[in-house]
Amino acid sequence: ADWFARHPETTVLDLTTGTLRDYSPGAAIAEVQAAPGPLYPATPVDRRLGAKEQVLGVVAGGEARAYRVAEVGRRRLIRDRVGGQDVVILTEGDGRAIGAYDATGVEFLRIIDSGVDLVVADRDGNRWAMRESALINEKTRDTRRALPARQSYWFAWANAYPTTSLFAP
C-alpha cells in the first residue's frame, strides 16, 4: 500500500504463469534464508558479524561502512561521517525504505510520521521528504542525493568491501 501510494502507475505481473512454482510470500528465498551460512563458497567470512546478518553497506568519500539493519530499524535515523563526508541513514523501520544520503551542510534531527512519505526534520525546522534518489526539502526543493548503498548479507558486503568498517553506536 505504501509503495502504491508513492507509485500509482505501478503494475503487477499475474501469478498465473502456467508453471508449477510456489509464489507465496518468501518462497523464492526460503532456502537461502534458512541456511546458516552462504549457499556458495564465500571465503574468507569476516567474523565481526554473523555471516547472514543483514547490513546496509554504504560507500562515501572513498570508504565503505556497514550498518546493522536491525540497529538502523531501531534508531530510524543515524548521523555519521564516512570517508570525511557527512551522511544520514534513514528508514521507515524494520528494514523497509532504508537509504543513505549526503548530509553535507544539513543536520538532520528526527523522523516525522506524515502518513505516506517518510519525512525528516533538520535543525532549522525544514522538512525533507525521502525518495529513492534524494532527500527533497519540501519548502526550497533543495536536494541531498542518495549515496551508493546496498542492503545485503554481511558475508556478501564484507567480501565485496574487505576494508569496510562497522558503524559503532
Side-chain angles (χ1 to χ4, degrees), residues 12-34:
V12 179
L13 294 174
D14 189 338
L15 296 180
T16 310
T17 64
T19 302
L20 292 177
R21 181 176 171 142
D22 183 358
Y23 286 104
S24 62
I29 60 170
E31 181 184 9
V32 172
Q33 289 180 328

Side-chain angles (χ1 to χ4, degrees), residues 38-110:
L39 293 179
Y40 52 85
T43 56
V45 175
D46 186 318
R47 303 271 181 226
R48 290 181 287 168
L49 296 177
K52 299 278 289 289
E53 183 157 355
Q54 287 282 318
V55 297
L56 178 71
V58 176
V59 177
E63 292 185 18
R65 178 156 302 148
Y67 300 80
R68 292 175 175 97
V69 169
E71 177 72 12
V72 175
R74 186 179 66 73
R75 294 171 150 229
R76 297 188 64 199
L77 183 152
I78 295 174
R79 292 189 318 244
D80 199 7
R81 192 160 177 80
V82 180
Q85 183 174 350
D86 291 327
V87 301
V88 63
I89 312 298
L90 302 169
T91 185
E92 290 178 350
D94 298 328
R96 298 179 334 223
I98 188 169
Y101 300 89
D102 176 0
T104 302
V106 180
E107 187 176 355
F108 295 101
L109 296 179
R110 71 183 187 289

